[in-house]
Amino acid sequence: MSVIAKFRQGKGPQAGAPAPESAQPAAAPASDAPTLSAMDRAVKPQRITPVRVVGALLILIVLAVGVFGYLRYGLTKTLSVSTDRVTISAVEKGVFSDYVPVTGNVAPQDTVFLDTVEGGQVTEVMAEDGAAVAAGMPLARLKNTRLELEVLGREAQLTESQNYLANARLAFQQSELRNQRDLMSVDREIARTQDQLMRQKPLENEGVSKSVIFNLEADLAHLQADRKSIEDSQTAERGVAKSNVAQLESSIGRMTQSLTLVRQNLNNLTVVAPIGGQLTGFNLKVGEVVSPGQRIGQVDTVDAFKISAMVDEFYLGRVAIGQSASLEADGKSYALTVAKVYPDVKERQFQVDLRFTGETPKSLRRGQTMRPRIELGETADSLIVANGPFYDETGGVWVLVISGDGKAASRRDVTLGRRNPDAIEVVKGLAVGERVITSSYESFKDVERIDFN
């Protein structure tokens, strides 16, 4: 072992200590080992070198890049996907049409139901189900014995009341004649007495006694009182007679109206077509008993149709009577209008009736399924982007915008307005030419950035 090695291991002789006598002289050192004197000392190697400084700097740079990458991509929840998994659409300047497509069935524009009022037994059927009928055409005849007897009874009551009225009027006329005769008789007596009094009064001082004059005056007063009594009696009798006649006339009027209704019900036992059209649901058989109020069929117009459509409840406040609609059929566009809006919501939908405002497609058939469009607002020039599933998942408040190089997409807050099945109106946050992911965001809800691979 060399002297330096022994020195490093702490085995060399201590300075100033005498060597033992029996110690043999040390062997000569190897030719390549340095010879150290008592004044020599070991030199320690340097710990900081340029190589070590450069290595430490490289390590710091790598750590900084790693931290920056984590902050840049790790916290922003980056996801790597293939472009084949997404649908990309460009923001364009165009015309936005605010409409909603609906699905409806073709139905007759007017339908009149055939209901029995009183019912009865079918005695004759004069039309078949599905036949074309004209207004007023007899369809079937029923028999109702109870109703016939009721009509006869009402007629007898009416006749009796009319007889009472005739007797009351006759009695009134007879009373008027009697009173008139009595008045005429009293008037003659009054005239005769007044004449005698006028002749006797001037002769009162020439031999005619005062008692004669007094008696004539008393007779005249009595006759005038009788006339007044007859007039009062006649006035009272006339009032009572007029009241009785008025009551009888009112009763007869009500009976006449009631009899008219009963006769109308009797006439309704012959079922006729209320309008011209096609008879449907009419399956009466001879001998069948029909209940009062039972529906026995209906008549539908065949030259005019409407479309009964179902609309999502989201548009309940935006669809009103009079709004325009359109239908593409037979290679042409036909105009319609909202004729009726049913307020009841069933299974998150409400019903509307659409009527044609002009020409009707010749190929329409009852029950046929059609897809008209209801116009919700006026068309306008605006920024638009293609409609897609993303809207339902973001609510139109953010989208994933493709970068300029097309290698990534990042999240951006936007404001989207009206939408139709084809496009969505862009209010704020996007510019013409920018591209947006419009497919489903189901896998991107918590992602801030997408890298395409």
Side-chain angles (χ1 to χ4, degrees):
M1 182 181 294
S2 65
V3 176
I4 296 176
K6 291 181 178 180
F7 182 82
R8 289 180 178 178
Q9 293 178 358
K11 296 181 179 181
Q14 296 181 358
E21 295 179 359
S22 58
Q24 296 298 325
S31 60
D32 56 348
T35 301
L36 298 177
S37 64
M39 298 301 292
D40 293 334
R41 61 184 180 85
V43 179
K44 295 182 179 180
Q46 294 182 355
R47 294 181 179 273
I48 299 176
T49 64
V51 176
R52 290 181 177 180
V53 172
V54 173
L57 291 176
L58 291 176
I59 292 173
L60 290 176
I61 292 173
V62 171
L63 290 176
V65 171
V67 171
F68 176 78
Y70 175 76
L71 294 176
R72 178 65 179 85
Y73 300 106
L75 294 181
T76 56
K77 297 182 180 180
T78 301
L79 184 66
S80 179
V81 299
S82 173
T83 55
D84 297 336
R85 292 181 51 193
V86 297
T87 302
I88 300 175
S89 303
V91 179
E92 301 175 346
K93 185 76 172 180
V95 178
F96 180 82
S97 299
D98 192 9
Y99 70 90
V100 55
V102 295
T103 301
N105 296 322
V106 178
Q109 180 170 311
D110 296 312
T111 297
V112 180
F113 296 101
L114 303 176
D115 297 334
T116 58
V117 179
E118 293 293 335
Q121 186 178 23
V122 180
T123 59
E124 185 179 2
V125 178
M126 295 167 279
E128 296 293 335
D129 185 33
V133 297
M137 175 181 172
L139 306 178
R141 186 171 286 109
L142 310 179
K143 181 178 179 61
N144 190 322
T145 304
R146 180 192 59 79
L147 188 58
E148 293 174 356
L149 293 176
E150 184 177 357
V151 171
L152 293 176
R154 298 283 180 90
E155 290 177 345
Q157 292 178 358
L158 179 59
T159 301
E160 185 178 1
S161 296
Q162 289 174 342
N163 290 334
Y164 286 151
L165 177 60
N167 292 333
R169 286 175 175 172
L170 179 60
F172 173 69
Q173 292 176 357
Q174 290 176 349
S175 176
E176 286 287 311
L177 290 175
R178 184 176 61 255
N179 291 331
Q180 290 294 334
R181 287 196 300 269
D182 293 342
L183 284 177
M184 291 175 63
S185 176
V186 171
D187 288 340
R188 285 196 301 271
E189 290 297 326
I190 290 176
R192 185 180 62 79
T193 303
Q194 287 178 341
D195 182 62
Q196 290 181 357
L197 184 59
M198 291 177 62
R199 290 198 307 269
Q200 297 295 330
K201 187 71 173 175
L203 300 177
E204 182 180 359
N205 297 325
E206 298 181 0
V208 178
S209 64
K210 293 184 179 181
S211 60
V212 174
I213 302 300
F214 178 78
N215 289 335
L216 290 173
E217 290 178 346
D219 291 342
L220 180 61
H222 181 71
L223 290 172
Q224 290 176 343
D226 289 344
R227 190 181 193 287
K228 181 67 168 59
S229 176
I230 293 172
E231 287 180 342
D232 293 341
S233 176
Q234 186 178 15
T235 301
E237 290 179 359
R238 185 181 292 115
V240 172
K242 286 184 177 180
S243 177
N244 291 337
V245 169
Q247 291 180 359
L248 288 172
E249 288 177 344
S250 177
S251 177
I252 289 173
R254 291 192 297 269
M255 286 184 177
T256 302
Q257 292 179 354
S258 177
L259 180 60
T260 300
L261 294 177
V262 175
R263 283 176 176 171
Q264 185 176 354
N265 292 337
L266 186 62
N267 294 333
N268 288 339
L269 293 178
T270 300
V271 182
V272 298
I275 61 173
Q278 184 179 20
L279 180 64
T280 58
F282 191 75
N283 299 305
L284 293 182
K285 304 297 180 183
V286 176
E288 179 183 355
V289 177
V290 180
S291 303
Q294 179 178 336
R295 180 160 297 171
I296 59 176
Q298 65 186 52
V299 179
D300 303 322
T301 55
V302 295
D303 56 348
F305 294 96
K306 67 180 179 181
I307 298 179
S308 295
M310 302 303 296
V311 186
D312 189 277
E313 65 177 349
F314 175 79
Y315 300 99
L316 183 59
R318 301 190 63 192
V319 177
I321 295 175
Q323 282 183 282
S324 300
S326 61
L327 173 67
E328 298 293 331
D330 302 336
K332 296 174 58 179
S333 179
Y334 296 89
L336 300 96
T337 185
V338 178
K340 187 174 183 179
V341 178
Y342 297 83
D344 298 334
V345 177
K346 298 180 181 178
E347 298 180 356
R348 303 183 66 179
Q349 292 182 319
F350 65 97
Q351 181 180 346
V352 297
D353 286 346
L354 306 175
R355 292 195 176 186
F356 291 91
T357 57
E359 185 181 359
T360 303
K362 299 184 183 303
S363 61
L364 288 186
R365 295 294 182 269
R366 180 179 177 180
Q368 183 178 359
T369 301
M370 306 299 292
R371 288 186 58 83
R373 303 194 322 179
I374 300 177
E375 303 295 337
L376 301 178
E378 297 182 355
T379 59
D381 293 332
S382 60
L383 290 180
I384 58 176
V385 66
N387 195 359
F390 78 98
Y391 188 92
D392 296 328
E393 295 158 358
T394 68
V397 297
W398 64 273
V399 294
L400 291 172
V401 183
I402 308 299
S403 61
D405 57 10
K407 296 181 179 181
S410 58
R411 179 167 176 162
R412 182 189 299 178
D413 292 336
V414 297
T415 302
L416 302 182
R418 301 174 297 174
R419 66 169 176 164
N420 60 39
D422 301 323
I424 302 176
E425 188 178 27
V426 178
V427 179
K428 185 175 62 175
L430 294 173
V432 176
E434 288 189 303
R435 295 181 299 162
V436 176
I437 297 177
T438 56
S439 53
S440 175
Y441 283 14
E442 182 66 27
S443 303
F444 309 144
K445 290 183 178 179
D446 299 326
V447 174
E448 297 288 336
R449 175 186 172 89
I450 295 176
D451 291 333
F452 295 121
N453 51 30

